[in-house]
Amino acid sequence: MSSPATTPPAPNNLKRIVAASLVGTTVEWYDFFLYGSAAALVFNKLFFPESDPLVGTLLSFLTYAVGFAARPLGALVFGHYGDRLGRKKLLVLSLLMMGGATFAIGLLPTHATVGSAAPVLLTVLRLVQGFALGGEWGGAVLLVSEHGDAKRRGFWASWPQTGAPAGQLLATGVLSALTALMSESAFESWGWRIPFLLSGVLVILGLWIRLSVDESPVFKAALAQAEQRKAASAPVEKMPLVAVLRDHWRDVLVAMGARMAENISYYVITAFILVYATTAVELSKQTALNAVLIASAVHFAVIPLWGALSDRIGRRPVYLIGAVGVAVWMFPFFALIDSRGFGSLLLAVTVGLVFHGAMYAPQAAFFAEMFATRMRYSGASIGAQFSSVAAGAPAPLIATALLADFGSSTPISLYVIAAALLTVLAIVCAKETRNRDLAEIEPGADRQAADSAPLPADARSV
């Protein structure tokens, strides 16, 4: 008889698991990106009104970066308990925390009402958002990776990754519709609250779907083995964090390096672009939002295609296409925006996000395949989220500061290119992982043979 770790899930069950992860990540990214768009468009006026416009935007993006600072803590806490208690329970908790914080932002008084308490409350809720998202990503991608067909893991695991552009699409779409239908004064007075309050409805939908799925079979098998060792008085397992740093520290460094170009380029292309297009190029908010909106739809569509390609040629080649592509595209990216045409702006953002998708799509399977099961949630989350403090967190802030100091996009392009070089170095140093059996990865074991071995024709769910 097949073990729980190797029994392939029924197609309908796998699709439900993918849907649960996708809906949950979409809701969480909607909440997170909504804050970023609002930070660029209105928070500088509502919560930091005493500053000049560009300084107010910097302060607004500073609270935006605070959310990233909380993500490593979320990765540690959720990773630890996710490796001990299971993926599903922690995913439900992260969704509740994120949705609750976002809904509360929609009810916040502004600086005009409560003075300096307003940005303080905003910062606290942003910390809760970051903490929740730090735990969400690892669990969502692992739930799919550990259920899915080994031969198509890159494809199936890329679907939770589409939650990022789907969340961006949803957040930008709502903001775009509101700015189109409302006057600027009405939007800044009360209209900006509507997208945050809508999060409550999305959370209910996400919970309904997420509660309907089963725990990862690979995790259940590993948990059963741990219980057997405990019953046999075997040595107690190390804490997941300790085990990751002892047995997988190289993989953590590779994951952190791989995230640099992916994270920085994404927030420059989707968040900072709203500042650059509306201030340096003097395009309307509506024009900038529409470009990001359409490009996010393309981004959503190409991620599964890149994921499927990583199943055919490997995670590393696809990732390298994205990193090199983003580096090469940066100067044309800003040159197109500077031409001030909507078509040029749309092309700039769309091509940038297509290259970003080549990094983001294989990332879920790539990181999951690096770590042993009983430390996989911790390892994948730590590698992904600790790098966000140095990458995505300060990216809009650094880009805005560079624009303020130099009045040019050239330093910003060089900043993204430098991040791409770090990512290329990390991927070159990494081993290919697409043939690995998730149920058989052992901590500290020599995996060179597994890296080069062909995938068995009858490979099943791992």
Side-chain angles (χ1 to χ4, degrees):
M1 295 182 62
S2 297
S3 68
T6 59
T7 301
N12 289 338
N13 187 46
L14 178 56
K15 290 177 182 178
R16 186 169 66 250
I17 292 162
V18 171
S21 291
L22 172 57
V23 170
T25 53
T26 298
V27 172
E28 299 238 6
W29 282 115
Y30 166 82
D31 293 345
F32 204 75
F33 289 146
L34 179 61
Y35 189 103
S37 297
L41 298 175
V42 295
F43 282 177
N44 56 333
K45 301 174 184 177
L46 298 176
F47 292 91
F48 308 97
E50 297 177 359
S51 305
D52 67 65
L54 206 54
V55 173
T57 301
L58 282 169
L59 292 174
S60 185
F61 274 141
L62 186 58
T63 64
Y64 177 71
V66 163
F68 286 85
R71 283 165 67 171
L73 181 59
L76 290 173
V77 174
F78 279 81
H80 173 82
Y81 288 103
D83 282 327
R84 290 295 177 91
L85 304 177
R87 292 35 170 144
K88 177 180 173 179
K89 295 176 182 177
L90 275 297
L91 285 174
V92 170
L93 179 60
S94 70
L95 187 61
L96 286 171
M97 291 182 67
M98 175 66 86
T102 304
F103 188 84
I105 289 175
L107 301 175
L108 273 183
T110 63
H111 189 278
T113 305
V114 296
S116 59
V120 172
L121 292 172
L122 182 67
T123 302
V124 170
L125 291 174
R126 183 59 176 173
L127 283 168
V128 175
Q129 280 191 325
F131 182 81
L133 189 62
E136 161 71 20
W137 181 84
V141 299
L142 292 188
L143 198 63
V144 176
S145 296
E146 293 178 344
H147 272 95
D149 181 351
K151 292 186 292 185
R152 303 187 69 196
R153 185 184 297 127
F155 171 74
W156 288 118
S158 70
W159 279 100
Q161 300 291 76
T162 65
Q168 180 76 65
L169 188 65
L170 191 58
T172 306
V174 172
L175 285 172
S176 181
L178 290 173
T179 55
L181 296 173
M182 303 176 67
S183 66
E184 186 170 352
S185 60
F187 180 75
E188 292 181 2
S189 175
W190 57 271
W192 67 271
R193 299 181 183 275
I194 295 175
F196 289 91
L197 297 176
L198 282 176
S199 178
V201 178
L202 297 175
V203 167
I204 293 172
L205 174 62
L207 285 175
W208 176 65
I209 297 177
R210 187 160 278 185
L211 288 170
S212 68
V213 302
D214 297 326
E215 181 55 81
S216 155
V218 173
F219 174 79
K220 288 192 289 187
L223 185 62
Q225 292 173 0
E227 292 297 327
Q228 290 174 0
R229 287 195 297 268
K230 183 178 179 181
S233 300
V236 178
E237 288 183 321
K238 296 286 186 182
M239 290 179 57
L241 173 61
V242 175
V244 166
L245 297 180
R246 181 191 64 194
D247 299 319
H248 289 283
W249 61 270
R250 291 182 182 85
D251 296 317
V252 170
L253 291 178
V254 167
M256 292 177 68
R259 285 274 282 174
M260 295 303 291
E262 178 268 306
N263 224 215
I264 289 174
S265 66
Y266 188 77
Y267 291 105
V268 168
I269 292 169
T270 61
F272 171 72
I273 190 63
L274 299 178
V275 176
Y276 186 82
T278 56
T279 58
V281 187
E282 298 182 344
L283 294 172
S284 68
K285 293 178 183 178
Q286 189 66 44
T287 299
L289 284 170
N290 286 344
V292 174
L293 183 68
I294 297 171
S296 293
V298 177
H299 193 210
F300 179 93
V302 300
I303 285 177
L305 300 179
W306 285 121
L309 184 62
S310 78
D311 285 326
R312 295 181 63 86
I313 68 174
R315 319 299 183 210
R316 294 170 70 244
V318 174
Y319 216 112
L320 286 171
I321 290 171
V324 173
V326 161
V328 172
W329 186 244
M330 269 303 104
F331 281 108
F333 173 80
F334 283 107
L336 286 167
I337 298 171
D338 289 341
S339 68
R340 301 190 177 187
F342 176 74
S344 299
L345 174 64
L346 178 60
L347 178 63
V349 179
T350 300
V351 174
L353 288 181
V354 168
F355 282 127
H356 173 269
M359 294 182 282
Y360 200 54
Q363 191 177 97
F366 189 31
F367 289 7
E369 290 159 347
M370 290 181 182
F371 302 96
T373 301
R374 290 288 281 161
M375 60 189 76
R376 185 170 292 133
Y377 201 146
S378 294
S381 296
I382 290 169
Q385 303 306 333
F386 271 66
S387 59
S388 68
V389 176
L397 189 66
I398 291 174
T400 303
L402 290 172
L403 179 62
D405 288 345
F406 296 94
S408 167
S409 63
T410 298
I412 304 168
S413 297
L414 294 175
Y415 167 52
V416 177
I417 291 170
L421 291 175
L422 287 175
T423 292
V424 168
L425 177 62
I427 300 303
V428 168
C429 293
K431 296 178 181 179
E432 182 55 62
T433 64
R434 73 185 173 105
N435 290 340
R436 289 181 180 172
D437 184 332
L438 296 188
E440 295 180 358
I441 299 174
E442 293 294 337
D446 182 7
R447 293 170 288 176
Q448 183 65 41
D451 296 332
S452 58
L455 190 67
D458 60 347
R460 301 300 186 188
S461 168
V462 293

